[in-house]
Amino acid sequence: QLDANSPEECLFALQRSMPLDTHYRARSRLLERYASEEEIPLAAYQRYHLYLQQVQLRRGSVQKRFVLKGQLIHLHYLAQLRSVFPSAHVVWSHRPAEEVVGSLCSLRKSQQEVFLNEAPDKCEVGQGVLKYLSDALERAGQTLEQKEAQELVERLVHVQYQSLVADPVTVVEKIYESFGWRVSPEHREAMQDYLARSLAQRSRAETGKQRYHDASLGSYGLSGESVRQRLAETKHGKRFSDLGRFFQGTQGVVRHSQLSTLAGN
């Protein structure tokens, strides 16, 4: 079921035809196969496109815009997304790499505790997450350098997660502005109402959260330094794992086409 309040609807829909093993295996075997046999993820995106068309028709929302999210999956398969959704606008959110790795390690550990009989090897989880992120950044960067991706480059914006959390309405307005759109007064009011309700719900949900969520890098045999060193081993891992300086003075939103200009300043 598609639901804006649910996690990663893209991931769940794509797994109907492109199963992933990252929730029960520290080092994915299927991702390597899909990288070498790219007709598999292409077919998965094509089926996803058809699925979304069916949802639109059933809901009578053909003229409306989908806002969809997927945890790193689209970075791995940005070329397939571009091919199947040529008019898509892409928002790529960024957090410090150490935070991304720690949070994803906690998620992977929790998933393995559900699917495996034995306790997860947390150091193995850490190395698997680090490879997963590094591969995603490298594949995305390679796709964006291709001549065929020029239209995608013009419709891609980078968003600083910290800014989004601190002032979500302003950041959404900046995203819209980057795409040549405008946030209506009704849209702005709806966002503000949602944020008020969400804050109250999250405050209640915080109770007991720390018992289950362990995002400390040391628990997985990692450190901030080891994460930065690993990501710096590849061209695009180094580039996209640390965009912090590019967000200075931007209210947290930067068009991808601006990155080269900002890098020269």
Side-chain angles (χ1 to χ4, degrees):
Q1 179 179 349
L2 286 175
D3 183 353
N5 293 314
S6 298
E8 307 160 353
E9 57 271 13
C10 290
L11 186 63
F12 294 120
L14 284 166
Q15 285 198 103
R16 293 170 180 263
S17 47
M18 186 179 67
L20 296 176
D21 55 353
T22 52
H23 53 293
Y24 62 83
R25 182 176 288 131
R27 291 178 179 268
S28 172
R29 297 176 186 172
L30 290 175
L31 285 173
E32 293 183 1
R33 180 182 177 187
Y34 300 152
S36 61
E37 301 180 31
E38 298 208 355
E39 68 275 5
I40 299 176
L42 178 61
Y45 273 86
Q46 290 169 338
R47 294 188 186 100
Y48 186 30
H49 184 270
L50 180 60
Y51 169 67
L52 292 175
Q53 287 179 318
Q54 293 173 337
V55 171
Q56 283 184 315
L57 289 172
R58 291 175 179 176
R59 294 188 178 183
S61 57
V62 174
Q63 302 304 319
K64 294 184 178 180
R65 209 185 280 116
F66 275 115
V67 181
L68 303 162
K69 55 192 178 294
Q71 172 219 90
L72 290 179
I73 190 72
H74 296 313
L75 296 185
H76 272 277
Y77 304 110
L78 205 53
Q80 287 78 12
L81 184 148
R82 175 195 59 78
S83 176
V84 177
F85 297 92
S87 60
H89 292 73
V90 179
V91 178
W92 182 346
S93 63
H94 295 263
R95 297 169 69 185
E98 306 94 289
E99 294 181 13
V100 174
V101 171
S103 181
L104 194 51
C105 281
S106 178
L107 173 63
R108 292 284 184 264
K109 179 182 72 70
S110 298
Q111 290 171 327
Q112 289 188 27
E113 286 173 341
V114 172
F115 286 94
L116 302 180
N117 291 325
E118 65 276 10
D121 183 328
K122 294 171 73 173
C123 289
E124 188 179 10
V125 168
Q127 292 302 315
V129 164
L130 204 47
K131 184 180 187 309
Y132 180 65
L133 177 60
S134 178
D135 289 350
L137 297 177
E138 189 63 17
R139 285 175 59 87
Q142 290 172 354
T143 296
L144 292 170
E145 287 185 335
Q146 297 173 0
K147 182 179 179 181
E148 298 86 349
Q150 186 55 43
E151 290 187 12
L152 173 60
V153 165
E154 294 301 321
R155 291 195 298 271
L156 168 62
V157 298
H158 299 273
V159 172
Q160 186 180 41
Y161 179 78
Q162 181 181 0
S163 297
L164 177 63
V165 172
D167 192 353
V169 174
T170 296
V171 169
V172 169
E173 289 177 331
K174 291 295 294 183
I175 292 171
Y176 268 54
E177 181 183 316
S178 296
F179 293 151
W181 304 336
R182 184 180 65 87
V183 171
S184 68
E186 294 79 11
H187 184 182
R188 186 179 299 106
E189 183 178 355
M191 287 192 288
Q192 291 168 340
D193 288 345
Y194 170 80
L195 289 169
R197 295 195 306 272
S198 177
L199 180 62
Q201 292 170 356
R202 287 174 180 269
S203 296
R204 291 194 296 270
E206 284 296 317
T207 304
K209 177 181 177 181
Q210 296 303 321
R211 286 183 294 172
Y212 306 102
H213 184 52
D214 178 12
S216 59
L217 291 175
S219 297
Y220 305 94
L222 302 171
S223 66
E225 182 63 23
S226 67
V227 169
R228 290 188 292 272
Q229 286 181 350
R230 175 66 176 84
L231 295 177
E233 291 176 2
T234 62
K235 173 184 176 182
H236 300 293
K238 181 177 182 180
R239 183 187 189 196
F240 291 118
S241 63
D242 184 17
L243 288 184
R245 64 189 179 91
F246 293 104
F247 291 115
Q248 295 178 4
T250 65
Q251 292 183 297
V253 179
V254 177
R255 292 174 62 92
H256 185 77
S257 54
Q258 293 178 289
L259 288 183
S260 296
T261 302
L262 292 171
N265 294 337

